[in-house]
Amino acid sequence: GVSRDPSDLKRVQQLLVSSLKKLRKEQTTPSVYGEAVATMESLAVLKAWAELYIKVSQDDTDNSDLVSPHLPLLSHYWLAALRDNAYLSLPAQFNTQLPSSGGTFYTPSMIGFVKSYYESNWSSLLHAAAIWVNRTKLSETYKPEESV
């Protein structure tokens, strides 16, 4: 869970900001630990952000400034991870429908290794994405190509 103490939330947010910057950088450079670990780390960072967003969205205090500056990038990544999960959840007979280059956070050679990571993270990502969609109503200001 996410702490209710504002100073704890601020420390968590600072750690998450540095992790988000690292995640953004890893989109262009391969991980030194391997693709499976990079996927696991990316999804863990996105899940942590999702849980923080869910918490501050339900909170009576005004902590939305902890997440709101990062929502354009986070929403893009949450939706991309959910799309990856949808592809990875397809039955085996639809494997030919998977993108040949892989997903946002996995390559085709890693499918067998990363499915469980997606399975354990998708619900938090979906919850956060649903809150974000509900709040933004996918307004004209949201343009996926500008999110990254």
Side-chain angles (χ1 to χ4, degrees):
V2 177
S3 173
R4 293 189 182 276
D5 180 33
S7 62
D8 287 346
L9 281 176
K10 189 66 175 166
R11 283 192 295 272
V12 168
Q13 188 257 1
Q14 289 169 347
L15 289 170
L16 289 174
V17 167
S18 65
S19 295
L20 186 60
K21 287 178 185 175
K22 183 179 174 188
L23 175 71
R24 195 170 186 181
K25 187 161 100 178
E26 284 182 0
Q27 292 294 300
T28 57
T29 57
S31 172
V32 295
Y33 300 110
E35 294 175 44
V37 172
T39 299
M40 182 174 60
E41 182 181 16
S42 297
L43 293 175
V45 167
L46 293 175
K47 181 179 181 179
W49 271 106
E51 290 179 356
L52 179 62
Y53 183 56
I54 293 163
K55 169 69 178 117
V56 300
S57 296
Q58 296 169 342
D59 214 355
D60 291 337
T61 62
D62 187 30
N63 287 320
S64 62
D65 60 322
L66 295 173
V67 182
S68 57
H70 311 285
L71 279 175
L73 183 60
L74 287 169
S75 61
H76 173 78
Y77 283 152
W78 290 334
L79 295 174
L82 290 169
R83 182 181 54 241
D84 286 355
N85 185 62
Y87 280 129
L88 293 172
S89 299
L90 289 172
Q93 70 246 30
F94 295 109
N95 280 349
T96 58
Q97 302 299 312
L98 296 175
S100 60
S101 61
T104 304
F105 300 106
Y106 73 91
T107 59
S109 63
M110 300 309 296
I111 289 174
F113 296 105
V114 300
K115 275 186 178 184
S116 64
Y117 304 150
Y118 282 92
E119 289 170 2
S120 63
N121 290 291
W122 74 270
S123 61
S124 294
L125 301 180
L126 180 60
H127 189 178
I131 293 169
W132 174 78
V133 166
N134 187 46
R135 288 189 172 186
T136 63
K137 307 284 190 246
L138 288 180
S139 65
E140 292 179 29
T141 59
Y142 172 70
K143 294 181 176 63
E145 64 277 0
E146 294 178 6
S147 296
V148 180

